[in-house]
């Protein structure tokens, strides 16, 4: 009972944080600047939002198809794709980024009557994503760090103490984040990784293929978001915009808000305005990025409704 109350309490806190930040962004950050999304969202922009989400869902489905083959499970690709869209709907409905995996694990585990191996395949996908994300984030932090010091026009002789201070602050921040949010998850992650390494010794080629596909998944996601930024008139170097996107997606992934809502908006406003981007454009960019997730969730909701209507309602009418 206490664990359940704790779980719902944390979820409620995340939703509260998201709503509070979101209201603050609209009321305080924008100030007198207007936000006319109707005029901002053009057909090309909307097309990029939808196409980016669909392509990423397709690549993710290919990754899952490949990883399931390690355990000799061959699901239809079309079924994987549809269920991935539906899982995106659950991502919006249920707090926590693992909601899609719970749905997919239940659906496919029930079909093959072996939940543990299905979950292991999905877990491998998460491991690959984590490794790729860590590499991208490390590169982005280096690029952003050099850009910030260049913008502040600081020289090495005068920032030695600042380097030390920033290093200590970031180190302490990461320590407390890991201690309070990720400690149990990291222990579970390590134990599960050992188990999976033992299980997948003969599937190294498929895991390598999944790595390549995951890289393509990330490139498509970043490229789509850069295209959105260019259409919105964000005029900063592409590599710096890409770095901001990667860093913000890292912050969004932290378990401090409801699926990144609020953190995404204030994060993009905070970083993009440092490059001279108006707050209303920065907020528009954040909302368009959320639109990628929203678009695939809508497709998932339509698919879910159609499947259930055909399965449960139409037979009663005939």
């Amino acid at each position: 009972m206490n664990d359940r109350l704790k779980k719902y309490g944390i979820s409620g806190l995340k939703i509260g944080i998201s709503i509070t930040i979101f209201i603050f962004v609209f009321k305080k950050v924008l100030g007198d600047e207007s936000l006319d999304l109707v005029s901002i969202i053009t057909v090309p922009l909307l097309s990029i939002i939808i196409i980016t989400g669909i392509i990423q869902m397709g690549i993710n489905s290919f990754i899952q198809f490949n990883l399931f083959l390690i355990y000799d499970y061959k699901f239809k690709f079309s079924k994987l794709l549809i269920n991935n869209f539906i899982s995106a709907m659950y991502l919006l409905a249920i707090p926590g980024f693992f909601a899609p995996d719970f749905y997919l694990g239940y659906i496919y585990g029930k079909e093959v009557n072996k939940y543990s191996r299905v979950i292991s395949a999905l877990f491998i996908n998460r491991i690959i994503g984590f490794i790729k994300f860590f590499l991208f984030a490390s590169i982005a932090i280096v690029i952003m760090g050099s850009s910030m010091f260049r913008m502040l026009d600081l020289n090495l002789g005068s920032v030695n103490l600042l380097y030390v201070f920033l290093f200590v602050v970031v180190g302490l921040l990461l320590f407390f984040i890991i201690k309070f949010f990720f400690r149990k998850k990291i222990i579970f992650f390590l134990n599960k990784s050992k188990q999976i390494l033992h299980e997948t010794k003969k599937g190294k080629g498929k895991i390598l293929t999944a790595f390549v596909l995951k890289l393509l998944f990330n490139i498509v996601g970043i490229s789509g978001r850069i295209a959105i930024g260019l259409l919105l008139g964000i005029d900063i170097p592409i590599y710096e915009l890409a770095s901001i996107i990667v860093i913000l997606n890292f912050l969004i992934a932290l378990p401090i808000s409801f699926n990144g809502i609020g953190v995404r908006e204030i994060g993009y406003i905070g970083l993009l305005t440092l490059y001279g981007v108006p707050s209303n454009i920065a907020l528009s960019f954040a909302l368009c990025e959320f639109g990628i997730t929203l678009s695939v969730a809508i497709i998932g909701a339509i698919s879910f409704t159609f499947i259930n209507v055909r399965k449960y309602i139409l037979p009663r009418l005939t």
Side-chain angles (χ1 to χ4, degrees):
M1 186 69 178
N2 290 332
D3 290 339
R4 184 176 294 180
L5 287 173
K6 184 179 179 181
K7 180 180 178 181
Y8 286 121
I10 292 173
S11 297
L13 180 62
K14 290 179 182 179
I15 294 172
I17 290 172
S18 292
I19 293 173
T20 302
I21 297 176
F22 204 76
I23 293 173
F24 171 78
V25 166
F26 272 92
K27 285 192 172 182
K28 301 293 183 181
V29 178
L30 284 178
D32 296 329
E33 296 181 24
S34 61
L35 181 68
D36 186 4
L37 284 177
V38 176
S39 61
I40 288 174
I41 298 183
T42 59
V43 173
L45 184 61
L46 187 61
S47 300
I48 289 174
I49 291 172
I50 296 172
I51 290 171
T52 300
I54 291 174
I55 293 175
Q56 285 194 292
M57 283 290 106
I59 295 171
N60 201 44
S61 299
F62 270 119
I63 294 171
Q64 291 173 4
F65 179 83
N66 191 65
L67 292 175
F68 282 134
L69 288 177
I70 295 174
Y71 298 97
D72 298 322
Y73 299 146
K74 192 171 183 179
F75 298 106
K76 289 184 179 179
F77 175 76
S78 58
K79 186 174 183 179
L80 287 170
L81 182 61
I82 291 171
N83 280 318
N84 268 286
F85 278 116
I86 295 174
S87 72
M89 177 188 72
Y90 281 94
L91 176 63
L92 290 182
I94 303 172
F97 283 89
F98 289 98
D101 288 347
F102 288 130
Y103 169 76
L104 295 172
Y106 172 74
I107 292 295
Y108 299 131
K110 185 179 179 181
E111 183 171 333
V112 299
N113 199 27
K114 194 73 175 180
Y115 290 95
S116 61
R117 289 191 172 184
V118 167
I119 292 170
S120 292
L122 296 171
F123 189 77
I124 294 171
N125 192 14
R126 287 289 178 180
I127 293 175
I128 295 171
F130 173 79
I131 294 171
K132 286 291 174 66
F133 191 75
F134 179 79
L135 292 174
F136 276 110
S138 300
I139 295 170
I141 288 170
V142 172
I143 293 173
M144 283 293 294
S146 61
S147 299
M148 290 298 174
F149 283 112
R150 187 176 67 251
M151 285 191 296
L152 292 172
D153 195 26
L154 298 173
N155 57 70
L156 291 176
S158 62
V159 296
N160 288 334
L161 290 177
L162 183 59
Y163 272 121
V164 174
F165 175 75
L166 288 175
F167 179 80
V168 172
V169 170
V170 172
L172 288 172
L173 182 62
L174 289 174
F175 172 77
F176 283 111
I177 288 173
I178 292 171
K179 181 178 177 62
F180 290 104
F181 293 109
F182 292 111
R183 183 173 175 273
K184 290 183 179 179
K185 291 182 180 179
I186 288 175
I187 293 172
F188 171 79
F189 178 86
L190 293 173
N191 292 332
K192 190 68 177 176
S193 299
K194 291 178 182 178
Q195 176 193 336
I196 289 173
L197 283 173
H198 179 72
E199 292 177 352
T200 58
K201 286 181 179 179
K202 296 180 180 179
K204 292 180 181 178
K206 293 181 177 63
I207 292 177
L208 181 61
T209 302
F211 263 98
V212 175
L213 289 171
K214 200 66 169 182
L215 178 61
L216 181 61
F217 175 90
N218 291 328
I219 291 172
V220 168
I222 294 171
S223 299
R225 286 160 175 80
I226 289 173
I228 291 170
L230 294 175
L231 286 175
L232 289 173
I234 296 176
D235 187 20
I236 65 175
I238 289 177
Y239 68 91
E240 292 184 340
L241 178 57
S243 300
I244 291 172
I245 291 167
V246 172
I247 290 172
L248 255 297
N249 276 273
F250 170 75
L251 294 176
I252 291 167
L254 295 177
I256 56 176
S257 64
F258 176 50
N259 294 331
I261 297 173
V263 174
R264 176 189 294 104
E265 289 72 24
I266 200 168
Y268 275 120
I269 290 172
L271 288 177
L272 288 174
T273 51
L274 291 175
Y275 290 86
V277 178
S279 297
N280 58 343
I281 298 299
L283 179 57
S284 299
F285 180 79
L287 294 176
C288 286
E289 184 188 87
F290 181 65
I292 295 174
T293 303
L294 185 61
S295 63
V296 295
I298 291 172
I299 295 173
I302 294 171
S303 302
F304 180 81
T305 303
F306 177 78
I307 289 170
N308 282 279
V309 167
R310 190 176 65 174
K311 187 175 181 180
Y312 297 109
I313 296 178
L314 289 181
R316 294 181 180 180
L317 299 176
T318 56

